[in-house]
Structure formats: C-alpha cells, structure tokens
C-alpha cells in the first residue's frame, strides 16, 4: 500500500532529478528525502532508483511508478477536494423517506431552507408509510426516515441501530361538514358520533381509530377508506360521512366546507425523524435533522403541532 506522502516526494525526485533538489523544493533535508524513498521501496518490495555516477536512474519498477505517480496524486487530490466539499456542505447527497403528510408539510420547508444555504447538496425524496419508512432506513435505502407512531412507549422502534429525533405531537381532529349539527362545538366526544358513517384513513390510522371507538363504546360504520387527504375532505364536505384526521394532515389543505374540532378523549400521534446510529454526525445528515427540527418548531409556534416531551435517542 502506497503512502501518498512518499509518492509525492518520489514524483518530485523524478521531476528534479535528485534527492537534493527535491529536498530544497519541498523544504525537507536530504536525509529525510532519502529515508522516505527507502520506506517507499520497502512498501513496494523493490528498488526504484539506482545511482549512476552522481545522478539517479529509475529502475523498471521506478519507471512504472513514475508513469502512474501523477495519476495517483491527482486522484488523491480530487478525492480530498470532494470530501472537503462534502464536509463543508458544498456538495453531498441526502435521501429522505417520509409518509405523505410529512412530504406535504415538513419536507418542503426543510428542503427549501437547506437549498437556500447549500445549493450544491442533492436531496432525494422517497415516500412510504411507517413502519416501512424505518425499515427502508435499516436496509440502507435512505439516510433519514420520517415516521409516526401511536402509543409511543409500545410502538416506538427500539433498534440499537437507530438514532431517534422527536419532532412533535400531532393531535387528532374530528372532521365534519360545516353544516353538521355538532360543527359549532369547540370539541367533540367520539361517542357523540357513534351513529355516523365514517371515512377511514391509512391502515395504521384506521387501526388506531377502531381501537378508540371500541374504547368509547361503539363499533364505527366505516363506509369509505382512503389515505388521500383531498378525497377524505371532499367526502366529508359532501355530507357522506365524518372522519378523524391528524392536524398536520388537515393543515396542509383545508376544504372550505369542512370544519375540524379536537376529539375527546384527546389522542395524537408522535412524529419523529430517524437515522442510523452515528450517522447524525455526518454533516449533511446532521444538517437535514436540524432543518426538520427547525420546521417542527415553527409548526408548533403556528399551532400546527403540539410540543413533544424529549424521548432521547437510542444509539
């Protein structure tokens, strides 16, 4: 294995024709140059120079290395420049996997903030509902995953391979047609809507909704199932049913003929960002996590999300 410092000294010796001239140009002593060339010869296992009178002549092995030295040093220099650019956030790539409502709310602001300050960074977005998004992270298909959980203690991924960055608590809201008799109320008990037909969302949200209805003493009549926010609100606006929706989802697009009210008993989902343990120290990953935290804070200040107690990280 070559030491790049030795190759650089070798290239200078070849270019100048002597150890003494190379020493002057590089600011070394001549014995230091000689020692480095001996070390290089030990690493390659053969002589690179032979003495001819007062001068030097390259051996066959030396000729081979001389032909490649410039390329080796150029490749090392290019690699160093690229790594420096990544470290200084002038370049790099970050892949995010998020669930749809996060793609519509958190991601655009976070990406815009990063691109404004660091236009050389490439950001790629994939979509998947949890737990698939976290599984994608563990497979190495993305660098940061956004996911939500209900009942944080029982559903929170606990792999030692994960670093978890809590973002906020996302309350659930009842969606009603604006003309509904309960639309004037400030909050609505789930049991008050036991006789209504319901529009259910994604599989995970639907499962949570059915459990909540059971706790409230009824089995919901689910007439429609869709995880399309616009479709849910259009169905509610048309008066064909009511729905439960996370506030973050509802905040992205609001139908003028739909109203939202807090549900009683209060319920919410936890939204967090995930990366692999240790990867939070990679500059571009750290930048993305910080951008997501900043957007989450703005959402809390604007009333789009609730503050989440710190959960810490697994590492």
């Amino acid at each position: 294995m070559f030491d790049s410092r030795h190759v650089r000294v070798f290239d200078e010796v070849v270019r100048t024709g002597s150890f003494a001239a190379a020493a002057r140009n590089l600011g070394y002593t001549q014995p230091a140059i000689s020692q480095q060339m001996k070390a290089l010869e030990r690493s390659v296992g053969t002589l690179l120079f032979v003495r001819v009178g007062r001068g030097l002549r390259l051996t066959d092995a030396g000729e081979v290395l001389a032909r490649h030295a410039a390329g080796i040093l150029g490749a090392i220099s290019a690699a160093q420049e690229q790594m420096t650019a990544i470290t200084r956030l002038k370049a790099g790539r970050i892949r995010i996997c998020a669930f749809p409502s996060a793609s519509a709310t958190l991601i655009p602001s976070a990406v815009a903030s990063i691109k404004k300050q660091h236009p050389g960074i490439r950001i790629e977005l994939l979509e998947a509902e949890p737990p698939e998004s976290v599984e994608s992270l563990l497979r190495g298909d993305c660098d940061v995953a956004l996911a939500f959980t209900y009942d944080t203690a029982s559903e929170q991924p606990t792999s030692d391979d994960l670093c978890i960055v809590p973002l906020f608590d996302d309350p659930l809201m009842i969606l009603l047609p604006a003309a509904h008799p309960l639309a004037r109320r400030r909050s609505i008990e789930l049991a008050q809507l036991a006789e209504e037909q319901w529009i259910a969302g994604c599989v995970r949200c639907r499962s949570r909704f059915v459990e909540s209805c059971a706790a409230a003493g009824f089995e919901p009549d689910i007439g429609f199932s869709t995880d399309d926010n616009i479709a849910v609100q259009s169905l509610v606006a048309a008066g064909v049913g009511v729905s439960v929706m996370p506030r973050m989802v509802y905040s992205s697009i609001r139908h003028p003929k739909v109203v939202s009210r807090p549900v009683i008993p209060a319920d919410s989902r936890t939204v967090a960002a995930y990366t692999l343990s240790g990867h939070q120290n990679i500059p571009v990953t750290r930048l993305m996590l910080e951008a997501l935290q900043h957007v989450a804070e703005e959402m809390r200040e604007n009333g789009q999300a609730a503050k989440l107690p710190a959960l810490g990280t697994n590492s």
Side-chain angles (χ1 to χ4, degrees):
M1 179 67 68
F2 296 140
D3 184 317
S4 62
R5 295 170 300 175
H6 295 164
V7 176
R8 187 167 286 108
V9 171
F10 171 83
D11 187 59
E12 189 65 19
V13 170
V14 172
R15 193 180 67 81
T16 60
S18 72
F19 287 3
R24 285 194 302 271
N25 288 352
L26 296 175
Y28 293 161
T29 65
Q30 185 170 334
I33 296 291
S34 178
Q35 289 173 6
Q36 291 200 42
M37 291 303 89
K38 287 179 180 178
L40 180 57
E41 288 175 335
R42 285 195 299 270
S43 69
V44 299
T46 188
L47 292 176
L48 298 172
F49 301 98
V50 292
R51 291 268 179 196
V52 178
R54 292 186 177 182
L56 296 173
R57 181 173 63 82
L58 289 169
T59 64
D60 289 346
E63 292 280 1
V64 171
L65 182 55
R67 289 197 298 270
H68 291 282
I72 293 170
L73 295 174
I76 291 172
S77 178
Q80 288 175 334
E81 289 179 4
Q82 291 176 26
M83 288 188 291
T84 298
I86 290 171
T87 301
R88 295 180 180 176
L89 297 172
K90 294 181 179 180
R93 180 183 70 154
I94 184 78
R95 300 166 300 165
I96 313 163
C97 187
F99 53 98
S101 55
S103 297
T105 52
L106 277 165
I107 296 299
S109 296
V111 169
S113 173
I114 291 173
K115 297 295 285 185
K116 182 178 180 180
Q117 299 296 324
H118 308 281
I121 292 176
R122 178 178 175 82
I123 302 173
E124 299 176 2
L125 175 63
L126 309 171
E127 275 197 349
E129 295 282 358
E132 287 79 10
S133 55
V134 177
E135 292 170 358
S136 177
L137 173 68
L138 291 171
R139 288 195 305 268
D141 295 336
C142 65
D143 306 298
V144 173
L146 285 171
F148 62 84
T149 57
Y150 291 99
D151 289 331
T152 304
S154 61
E155 285 198 5
Q156 187 75 42
T158 56
S159 171
D160 290 340
D161 294 330
L162 292 175
C163 168
I164 305 169
V165 180
L167 296 176
F168 53 80
D169 213 25
D170 190 17
L172 300 187
M173 311 293 288
I174 294 286
L175 299 192
L176 302 169
H180 194 282
L182 297 178
R184 292 175 177 266
R185 300 211 174 188
R186 299 183 64 179
S187 59
I188 300 172
E189 293 184 16
L190 196 58
Q192 290 179 290
L193 298 169
E195 300 303 318
E196 299 279 352
Q197 189 169 64
W198 291 87
I199 303 149
C202 71
V203 174
R204 199 167 200 176
C205 295
R206 173 175 176 151
S207 176
R208 176 66 173 197
F209 166 66
V210 170
E211 291 174 3
S212 297
C213 292
F218 71 96
E219 181 179 348
D221 175 15
I222 299 175
F224 307 89
S225 291
T226 175
D227 56 3
D228 185 316
N229 175 21
I230 296 176
V232 171
Q233 292 195 53
S234 296
L235 289 166
V236 172
V240 299
V242 297
S243 186
V244 171
M245 179 179 287
R247 186 160 65 187
M248 182 174 73
V249 180
Y250 180 65
S251 68
S252 61
I253 299 176
R254 299 188 180 189
H255 196 292
K257 295 182 179 180
V258 172
V259 298
S260 69
R261 296 291 181 264
V263 62
I264 300 175
D267 199 2
S268 62
R269 63 181 184 174
T270 299
V271 178
Y274 301 79
T275 191
L276 297 178
S277 294
H279 287 209
Q280 70 272 25
N281 298 319
I282 297 173
V284 70
T285 302
R286 182 171 64 246
L287 181 68
M288 176 55 69
L289 294 174
E290 290 172 351
L292 290 169
Q293 288 176 299
H294 179 71
V295 174
E297 179 61 31
E298 289 184 337
M299 291 177 66
R300 291 194 293 268
E301 291 175 355
N302 294 334
Q304 293 174 271
K307 186 174 182 180
L308 178 67
L311 297 177
T313 60
N314 292 341
S315 59

